[in-house]
Amino acid sequence: MEQEFHYAPFRVEAGKVREFALALGLQNPVYFDRQAALDAGYRDIPAPPTYTTVIDFWNERDFYQLFSQWGLDPNDMLHGEQSFEYGEDIISGDVITAKAVLTDQFDKKDKRFYQFETTYRNQNCEVVRIGRATLIERREQHGAEIAEHS
């Protein structure tokens, strides 16, 4: 299995940041008003902490292409754990690149677990986020096969 996936560079747009903030029910004016963001010390409208989800799913090379490249069926996948490490702020106008790396995979009962880490960098190569996630492949149809290898 290919162990790296590179997302396409993604330009952060203020309108998409506002839509995401609305969808989350956020009310902080820094996500909606450039002047409020500037007054708060940002260089433009900042993205909410979990904005990398937008980068993953609305990218020219998206999360579903990661599944395809890694030979995974999204219909058999469950989302397990998710954590973020925060670096620099993601700001409207930034261009974010991201690389996902499969860090571990293992079988447990009738499921296969995939752990991966995605590092997001801005146009200055500064780390803005590191996302760590576990995907769980439901493999009931392959349970006996996996049990043999446990």
Side-chain angles (χ1 to χ4, degrees):
M1 171 187 295
E2 176 68 32
Q3 298 199 346
E4 280 188 6
F5 179 82
H6 295 265
Y7 289 91
F10 187 90
R11 179 171 298 282
V12 179
E13 299 172 4
K16 290 295 178 190
V17 168
R18 288 182 189 109
E19 289 174 5
F20 188 68
L22 280 172
L24 294 176
L26 301 178
Q27 297 179 1
N28 189 329
V30 299
Y31 300 124
F32 304 97
D33 179 58
R34 185 170 192 269
Q35 190 57 53
L38 294 173
D39 290 346
Y42 296 101
R43 59 184 156 80
D44 208 320
I45 293 176
T50 57
Y51 191 78
T52 53
T53 304
V54 174
I55 296 168
D56 293 348
F57 285 95
W58 290 94
N59 199 301
E60 186 179 311
R61 284 182 45 85
D62 63 21
F63 201 62
Y64 293 105
Q65 291 171 358
L66 176 149
F67 281 161
S68 177
Q69 180 177 314
W70 288 359
L72 304 174
D73 182 346
N75 295 316
D76 291 336
M77 302 306 290
L78 300 170
H79 185 258
E81 295 180 311
Q82 178 77 51
S83 67
F84 295 100
E85 185 177 319
Y86 296 93
E88 299 298 317
D89 292 319
I90 297 175
I91 304 293
S92 299
D94 283 352
V95 176
I96 305 298
T97 56
K99 177 175 76 168
V101 177
L102 183 66
T103 57
D104 195 13
Q105 75 180 48
F106 56 91
D107 297 331
K108 195 179 218 183
K109 297 194 180 184
D110 61 350
K111 294 174 180 55
R112 178 161 289 156
F113 291 73
Y114 300 90
Q115 295 177 325
F116 65 100
E117 181 174 284
T118 306
T119 302
Y120 303 85
R121 295 179 183 274
N122 65 18
Q123 64 279 358
N124 300 319
C125 292
E126 299 167 319
V127 173
V128 294
R129 298 284 183 286
I130 298 174
R132 293 179 183 90
T134 300
L135 295 176
I136 304 164
E137 186 175 23
R138 300 176 305 164
R139 302 185 61 165
E140 290 82 8
Q141 69 277 22
H142 303 295
E145 167 192 321
I146 290 174
E148 292 173 13
H149 297 300
S150 298

